[in-house]
């Protein structure tokens, strides 16, 4: 006796369940693509959490880069509301990015060692999208393009990001157009070089913070400070998770591991925004 599937019967008040082909949700989100990108290379069950967490971080990098590019473009057009909105969204996204450390923050050395060999020479500093984040923050370095020479599209995108003004460059140009005394040497600097603090820029932020708190420049300064603080927290969470999982051993990819991360964590993003506070 054959068993035929029961005819489709919609439950009362149920959403539409009958589609030709894939669902509209799948067409838009591409969930089946995302959920089939995981290919663990060890037998350790903990590797799946490490792999998915890392992939989630890459997605957050992508949207944060989009927000900062939106903010930079808006500042070029002196559209401060659009820039502030993009920076605000990016703070929520940075908070979510930072929370991504939770599944990895308590790894013991034994747990990490169970699948560490699967990474081979892979390391987070090789992430092209994270590198674009750093470039937008003004942390430029042409040497960081070297790992991507074998991927022409990625290399070209990074090279473009290296030579374009950073988000902070656009902030300072915006302030200059609104009458603040940003030096020509700062405005005309080579955008492919790492941003270095300037005393005159510090005095500009001191002036801004000594004025009305609800002014456009002051609100911009606070939005950038929020971003900078969350980036600092990201770097420190990375440092602590790494120190807990592997101590002072050499990092994957041949980096100095904890020593490399300590150096990164010690750097302030948008430096004059922090030092100017000592003079207000």
């Amino acid at each position: 006796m054959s068993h035929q599937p029961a005819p489709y019967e919609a439950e009362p008040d149920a959403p539409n369940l009958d589609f030709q082909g894939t669902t509209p949700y799948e067409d838009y989100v591409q969930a089946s693509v995302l959920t089939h990108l995981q290919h663990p290379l060890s037998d350790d069950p903990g590797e799946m959490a490490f792999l998915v967490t890392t992939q989630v971080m890459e997605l957050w990098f992508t949207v944060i880069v989009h927000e900062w590019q939106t903010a930079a473009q808006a500042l070029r057009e002196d559209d401060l509301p659009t820039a502030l909105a993009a920076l605000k969204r990016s703070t929520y996204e940075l908070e979510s990015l930072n929370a991504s450390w939770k599944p990895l923050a308590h790894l013991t050395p034994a747990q990490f060692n169970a699948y560490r060999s699967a990474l081979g020479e892979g390391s987070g500093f090789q992430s092209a999208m994270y590198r674009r984040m750093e470039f937008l923050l003004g942390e430029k370095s042409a040497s960081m393009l070297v790992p991507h020479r074998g991927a022409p599209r990625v290399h070209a995108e990074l090279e473009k990001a290296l030579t374009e003004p950073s988000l902070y460059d656009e902030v300072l140009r915006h302030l200059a157009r609104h009458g603040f005394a940003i030096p020509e040497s700062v405005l005309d600097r080579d955008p492919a070089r790492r941003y270095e603090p300037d005393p005159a820029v510090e005095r500009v932020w001191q002036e801004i913070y000594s004025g009305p708190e609800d002014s456009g420049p002051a609100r911009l300064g606070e939005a950038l400070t929020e971003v900078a603080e969350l980036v600092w927290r990201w770097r420190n969470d990375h440092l602590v998770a790494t120190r807990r999982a592997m101590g002072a051993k050499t990092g994957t990819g041949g980096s100095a591991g904890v020593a490399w991360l300590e150096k990164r964590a010690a750097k302030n993003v948008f430096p004059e925004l922090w030092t100017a506070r000592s003079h207000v």
Side-chain angles (χ1 to χ4, degrees), residues 245-265:
M246 55 180 281
K249 289 186 293 190
T250 300
T252 54
S255 75
V258 164
W260 165 270
L261 296 174
E262 285 176 337
K263 182 179 178 181
R264 306 293 296 170

Side-chain angles (χ1 to χ4, degrees), residues 96-258:
S96 297
L97 169 64
N98 292 358
S100 299
W101 281 116
K102 282 289 186 180
L104 308 181
H106 302 284
L107 285 174
T108 66
Q111 290 168 338
F112 185 46
N113 287 341
Y115 55 79
R116 186 185 181 191
S117 62
L119 277 68
E121 292 190 81
S123 176
F125 78 80
Q126 298 162 6
S127 166
M129 197 56 73
Y130 181 70
R131 192 56 46 203
R132 288 175 66 178
M133 276 182 59
E134 291 277 351
F135 284 0
L136 277 163
L137 293 172
E139 193 64 32
K140 301 290 187 77
S141 174
S143 66
M144 286 302 187
L145 271 64
V146 174
H148 306 283
R149 288 179 299 186
R153 179 183 62 81
V154 172
H155 188 274
E157 290 172 349
L158 278 173
E159 191 170 43
K160 182 174 183 289
L162 177 73
T163 57
E164 288 179 337
S166 70
L167 170 61
Y168 197 49
D169 288 328
E170 297 296 358
V171 166
L172 299 181
R173 292 177 182 187
H174 170 79
L175 292 176
R177 289 192 297 271
H178 284 74
F180 291 95
I182 305 295
E184 289 297 323
S185 59
V186 172
L187 298 174
D188 296 336
R189 74 181 196 88
D190 180 359
R193 298 181 66 85
R194 180 180 288 110
Y195 180 82
E196 298 295 341
D198 187 282
V201 173
E202 180 186 272
R203 289 192 292 272
V204 166
W205 286 117
Q206 179 184 348
E207 176 187 350
I208 289 170
Y209 274 93
S210 297
E213 290 189 350
D214 60 350
S215 71
R219 288 186 292 124
L220 178 58
E222 281 303 276
L224 293 168
T225 301
E226 188 73 13
V227 166
E229 179 180 331
L230 289 165
V231 169
W232 177 81
R233 292 183 185 279
W234 155 266
R235 292 174 176 174
N236 276 273
D237 286 350
H238 189 181
L239 168 62
V240 172
T242 302
R243 182 183 285 150
R244 186 161 180 164
M246 55 180 281
K249 289 186 293 190
T250 300
T252 54
S255 75
V258 164

Side-chain angles (χ1 to χ4, degrees), residues 17-27:
L17 302 174
D18 193 11
F19 301 101
Q20 298 298 318
T22 56
T23 66
Y25 177 86
E26 172 60 32
D27 293 340

